[in-house]
Amino acid sequence: MTIETVETHRAHGGTQGVYRHASGATGTTMTFAVFVPPAAAKGPCPVVTYLSGLTCTHANVMDKGEYRQAAAELGLIVVCPDTSPRGEGVADDPAWDMGQGAGFYVDATQAPWAPHFKMWSYVTQELPAVIAQHFPVDTARQGITGHSMGGHGALTVALRHPGRFKSTSAFAPIVAPTQVPWGQKALPGYLGPDTALWRQHDAVALIEDGARPPDLLVDQGTADSFLAGQLKPELLQAACDAAGIPLTLRLQEGYDHSYHFISTFMAEHLAWHAERLKA
């Protein structure tokens, strides 16, 4: 699997790069960002994947997430994929919460999305293989995080891959997409009417159905305009309490849904991951 280097920059003693490759999963060119810390010069490093939210690309967190200093100090590789396939011939929707920029980290089965919208396979299989081939990662030490739709992706990916991800966190995640408007639009749109398939992409439902992560960290701003209608972290708290899963849910007073919120707590999330990804 070959990759093309789009750009690289020296940062905090490490290297921030942007790369692209021909994806077999999506049938398109996919772009992703990787930060490699200075510790990689001495050997493979643990890796944390960050999944972005609706309307975003790899560039949003790369430009505004403020993760590089912490990642350099902690010795973490940080991988930031795009949120959907893009390009000529790729289906789209006039709404911002469906189509390009809104892949929801599922493998679509419905027209017109099925040919390209295979983000589940991309982030769980293809991209990790590309990263392992081209970057000095310790594949036994993987963590995952994300924001909003990407927080939904991070939680569901980790819950369905027990043992693979040793650390999981999220910023303002969509914890129960089957119970909120964003998910009630996207899941049937991409997956059709089978509600059993929807449950496979719903963190609360997965926990209700038996998924048991070791622990979780979630930060949520109290001034987030999507808090009550779309995010509902109390549903995740209730599911974790019922299942005996340690959840650190931190309600951050006055913070909204933006990258001002994410960047404020990014270093703490990376420290959480680093603690759990120790050799």
Side-chain angles (χ1 to χ4, degrees):
M1 292 179 283
T2 61
I3 64 173
E4 174 189 354
T5 300
V6 178
E7 59 183 273
T8 60
H9 306 277
R10 192 73 169 162
H12 297 283
T15 301
Q16 175 66 66
V18 177
Y19 309 90
R20 59 183 169 223
H21 70 115
S23 168
T26 68
T28 67
T29 297
M30 295 295 291
T31 302
F32 61 92
V34 180
F35 176 73
V36 178
K42 300 179 181 179
C45 293
V47 56
V48 176
T49 298
Y50 176 96
L51 302 183
S52 288
L54 288 163
T55 76
C56 291
T57 71
H58 69 281
N60 294 78
V61 68
M62 185 180 74
D63 292 342
K64 297 184 286 187
E66 299 183 18
Y67 57 80
R68 278 175 286 273
Q69 181 174 350
E73 293 171 354
L74 296 165
L76 297 174
I77 291 174
V78 178
V79 176
C80 308
D82 201 348
T83 52
S84 78
R86 301 176 191 270
E88 185 177 354
V90 176
D92 202 5
D93 190 281
W96 59 274
D97 56 357
M98 195 79 178
Q100 295 188 36
F104 260 85
Y105 304 102
V106 302
D107 280 354
T109 61
Q110 304 300 299
W113 316 108
H116 301 294
F117 279 71
K118 305 293 185 184
M119 289 303 294
W120 180 266
S121 292
Y122 182 71
V123 299
T124 64
Q125 299 174 33
E126 185 175 32
L127 182 61
V130 170
I131 298 300
Q133 179 178 346
H134 293 280
F135 299 92
V137 298
D138 182 347
T139 56
R141 295 188 288 162
Q142 297 185 57
I144 192 165
T145 187
H147 170 233
S148 194
M149 178 187 73
H152 139 77
L155 292 173
T156 56
V157 166
L159 290 169
R160 287 177 56 185
H161 293 82
R164 175 172 165 185
F165 294 96
K166 301 187 183 304
S167 57
T168 306
S169 74
F171 300 89
I174 307 169
V175 303
T178 62
Q179 301 185 50
V180 300
W182 278 338
Q184 290 166 347
K185 176 181 179 179
L187 295 179
Y190 290 132
L191 301 175
D194 186 351
T195 57
L197 290 179
W198 304 358
R199 291 185 69 83
Q200 294 177 24
H201 295 281
D202 182 307
V204 168
L206 287 167
I207 290 170
E208 291 173 348
D209 292 344
R212 294 293 181 269
D215 56 3
L216 301 169
L217 170 64
V218 171
D219 270 317
Q220 173 64 62
T222 63
D224 190 324
S225 61
F226 301 115
L227 175 57
Q230 301 281 13
L231 306 177
K232 297 184 180 294
E234 68 276 7
L235 298 178
L236 181 64
Q237 183 73 74
C240 287
D241 288 347
I245 297 168
L247 167 65
T248 302
L249 174 59
R250 307 192 305 185
L251 298 178
Q252 303 292 359
E253 187 66 30
Y255 284 88
D256 58 21
H257 202 67
S258 72
Y259 270 91
H260 301 291
F261 156 62
I262 297 166
S263 64
T264 300
F265 302 103
M266 178 66 81
E268 294 177 22
H269 277 244
L270 291 180
W272 163 280
H273 288 276
E275 178 65 26
R276 287 152 182 78
L277 296 175
K278 288 179 178 178

